[in-house]
């Protein structure tokens, strides 16, 4: 599992990108929280699967990107946040 926290200070509009497990045999669940509120959840993604996201962030102070093991252990769970882009 991994958790990345960013202080945005309300200065950003949107976060877009893709998340997934392009290589491996595990499964991963990706979660985005804005000020502690869940605004995106990928659901269980397995090998070769990706999912795009677009999250509104107007006024958000704290952003968290969370990668979790999807309930079946963390073996081969090399989940990636791909092309994540913040825009003002």
């Amino acid at each position: 599992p991994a958790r990345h926290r960013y202080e945005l200070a309300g200065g950003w509009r949107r976060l877009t990108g893709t998340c997934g497990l392009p290589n491996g045999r595990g499964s991963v669940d990706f979660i985005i929280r804005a000020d502690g509120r869940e605004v995106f959840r990928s659901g269980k993604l397995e090998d070769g699967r990706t999912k795009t996201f677009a999250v509104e962030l107007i006024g958000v102070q704290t952003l968290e990107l969370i990668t979790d093991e999807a309930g079946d252990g963390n073996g081969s769970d090399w989940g990636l946040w791909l092309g994540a882009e913040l825009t003002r």
Side-chain angles (χ1 to χ4, degrees):
R3 179 182 308 258
H4 301 280
R5 182 182 168 121
Y6 303 94
E7 298 300 327
L8 301 182
W12 298 92
R13 267 188 176 276
R14 189 172 173 98
L15 173 68
T16 59
T18 303
C19 56
L21 188 67
N23 296 310
R25 286 173 280 185
S27 62
V28 180
D29 188 13
F30 295 88
I31 303 160
I32 299 174
R33 290 189 184 145
D35 292 334
R37 181 176 56 92
E38 188 175 300
V39 294
F40 171 82
R41 181 179 289 264
S42 67
K44 184 177 184 177
L45 295 179
E46 296 178 317
D47 182 33
R49 304 288 182 174
T50 60
K51 190 164 191 173
T52 59
F53 56 87
V55 177
E56 298 299 319
L57 298 175
I58 297 169
V60 170
Q61 301 298 307
T62 303
L63 174 69
E64 289 179 279
L65 302 179
I66 301 164
T67 307
D68 204 1
E69 49 84 15
D72 59 358
N74 63 3
S76 298
D77 288 354
W78 294 99
L80 300 171
W81 295 93
L82 305 162
E85 182 177 342
L86 281 168
T87 54
R88 291 196 188 264

